[in-house]
Amino acid sequence: MEKEKLKLTSSEIGTLWGEYVNGTAVDTINRYMVTIIEDAAIKAIFEDAIETYAKQKNQMVTFLENEGFPVPIGFTESDLYKGKQRLFTDIFCLNYLHIMTLHGLLGHSTSLGVSVRKDLRYFYDACDNDGKRMYHQTIELLLEKGSFQRDPLFYPAKNPEYVSSNDFLDGFFGKGRMLAATEIISISFNLKKSIMSKTLSIAFSQVAQSKEVRKFLEEAEKVSDQQIKTLTKIMQTDNLPAPKSWETEVTASTDSPFSDKLMLYHIGFLFQAAQNYHGTGLASAMRTDLVAAYETTILKNLMVTKKWFNIMVQNKWLEQPPLAPNRKEIAQKE
């Protein structure tokens, strides 16, 4: 069979479906933020991000339609309420774009890793390049504005060393060793993601219309806050700085620029994505207190996502991805 006539596999269709739905959610928020941003340099990056995603979205639609699959509904203009009061500061918007770019980079890499057909591989490769360009732009501007907090600095040892004691694993009762650089990677990464999730939960809870959605967002904020405190305490015990919070970058507005469906979906997506990052942290943790912290976090996040799923389904807000054919049902059809 000629390569250009290869049908897309279930995994390839799954990546397109997921990237489309998640992409339209972030794009809707970006399109609100670009209307309230006053800083010219930040606004220019958002305009670039919106234009870039529009091209990617059109390509994903073409891929799906050529395979005969319906294009997901995702999120549209109906989820964006224009002319609303400012909910975020400019610098928070820039931090948001940076964190979402990180999510996008990881998503594109995963999609590329399961893609076989040449045109789809080239598409995700181009998406990855777009993401890397945006990553560099957001970091450079955050650094320029003095708003990017770098991870802690370590001082070099004189020589390489081997682990010499089982105390290397102990993080309880004060008799363990200091945090390793390999552990800081996930701690810092997860802290930044939890800070973003907490800040968005606070903002969204201020403007949510449904009492049920507002209650969930308030609970999500508390869970994120506890996770931040847990990891921050581990860092500070070793006299290492933790990333600063962004709550003060949310205004006092109660005028919602987004649908409850979009806000609830976005927080659920962040909690689901966090499970992947916490799992990575657990796999790299070599101190017992870190292992316990990640295990507790993963279990709590599972409880949050279960509540999220129930609310999304009850309100008919959760779009169903393509499913494998049910052979029993097909066989029973007359």
Side-chain angles (χ1 to χ4, degrees):
M1 180 181 293
E2 295 181 16
K3 292 181 180 179
E4 61 269 19
K5 293 184 179 179
L6 287 174
K7 299 285 289 182
L8 291 179
T9 67
S10 54
S11 295
E12 290 168 330
I13 292 297
T15 63
L16 288 166
W17 190 92
E19 294 234 6
Y20 184 94
V21 175
N22 292 331
T24 54
V26 174
D27 181 61
T28 303
I29 293 177
N30 285 348
R31 284 187 286 113
Y32 161 71
M33 287 182 171
V34 78
T35 65
I36 64 169
I37 292 170
E38 297 174 349
D39 185 283
I42 298 176
K43 183 183 282 286
I45 291 182
F46 268 82
E47 289 171 344
D48 184 11
I50 292 167
E51 182 180 347
T52 298
Y53 179 71
K55 295 176 183 177
Q56 294 174 354
K57 180 181 175 182
N58 288 337
Q59 288 178 280
M60 287 187 281
V61 168
T62 300
F63 276 121
L64 289 167
E65 288 182 339
N66 286 346
E67 296 295 313
F69 284 87
V71 176
I73 299 168
F75 296 89
T76 66
E77 288 292 329
S78 64
D79 297 295
L80 178 60
Y81 307 148
K82 296 181 179 179
K84 298 298 181 177
Q85 296 178 18
R86 168 184 282 266
L87 185 57
F88 306 108
T89 64
D90 284 8
I91 205 64
F92 176 81
C93 293
L94 182 56
N95 272 296
Y96 171 84
L97 183 58
H98 174 67
I99 294 296
M100 290 305 110
T101 297
L102 285 174
H103 279 292
L105 280 170
L106 293 168
H108 298 327
S109 296
T110 300
S111 297
L112 177 61
V114 300
S115 297
V116 175
R117 210 171 78 180
K118 187 176 182 178
D119 56 348
L120 192 60
R121 281 187 282 119
Y122 279 23
F123 169 67
Y124 283 130
D125 195 40
C127 289
D128 191 52
N129 288 333
D130 288 334
K132 285 185 285 189
R133 176 171 52 82
M134 190 61 57
Y135 175 76
H136 290 304
Q137 288 179 343
T138 54
I139 283 188
E140 288 298 326
L141 193 51
L142 283 167
L143 286 170
E144 179 184 317
K145 295 184 176 298
S147 296
F148 189 89
Q149 187 171 350
R150 298 174 65 202
D151 295 339
L153 299 176
F154 278 14
Y155 293 96
K158 292 183 179 179
N159 299 296
E161 297 180 19
Y162 285 102
V163 175
S164 59
S165 168
N166 285 336
D167 284 349
F168 191 85
L169 301 175
D170 197 355
F172 290 111
F173 311 118
K175 64 179 181 179
R177 45 83 188 172
M178 307 300 281
L179 286 169
T182 50
E183 293 167 329
I184 296 290
I185 298 170
S186 288
I187 294 175
S188 178
F189 200 64
N190 282 304
L191 269 171
K192 291 174 183 177
K193 296 296 178 58
S194 293
I195 289 170
M196 174 58 69
S197 181
K198 177 186 175 182
T199 308
L200 285 175
S201 294
I202 290 172
F204 291 167
S205 67
Q206 287 181 191
V207 300
Q209 302 300 304
S210 162
K211 291 182 179 180
E212 184 180 35
V213 172
R214 192 180 311 126
K215 181 181 178 182
F216 171 84
L217 292 169
E218 290 170 350
E219 291 176 357
E221 183 268 325
K222 291 178 183 177
V223 171
S224 294
D225 183 60
Q226 184 56 55
Q227 293 170 4
I228 293 167
K229 288 178 179 177
T230 298
L231 292 179
T232 296
K233 181 179 179 181
I234 291 173
M235 293 278 280
Q236 292 178 340
T237 298
D238 282 5
N239 298 307
L240 297 171
K244 67 177 182 179
S245 66
W246 297 331
E247 292 99 307
T248 55
E249 306 301 326
V250 177
T251 72
S253 173
T254 57
D255 198 9
S256 180
F258 311 116
S259 68
D260 283 3
K261 171 189 171 184
L262 172 59
M263 293 187 289
L264 186 63
Y265 177 86
H266 199 27
I267 295 301
F269 161 74
L270 291 176
F271 269 87
Q272 289 177 317
Q275 294 293 66
N276 184 28
Y277 309 134
H278 293 314
T280 301
L282 177 61
S284 64
M286 295 178 286
R287 243 174 57 171
T288 50
D289 59 335
L290 264 181
V291 171
Y294 283 125
E295 287 178 341
T296 301
T297 295
I298 290 170
L299 289 174
K300 286 186 177 180
N301 278 3
L302 284 173
M303 295 173 65
V304 171
T305 52
K306 184 177 184 298
K307 290 181 180 179
W308 170 85
F309 178 85
N310 289 337
I311 298 173
M312 290 290 290
V313 171
Q314 288 167 9
N315 285 279
K316 300 187 186 306
W317 289 341
L318 190 61
E319 201 168 347
Q320 180 174 284
L323 302 178
N326 187 321
R327 300 300 178 183
K328 290 184 178 179
E329 286 187 2
I330 294 173
Q332 292 172 359
K333 286 184 178 180
E334 295 182 359

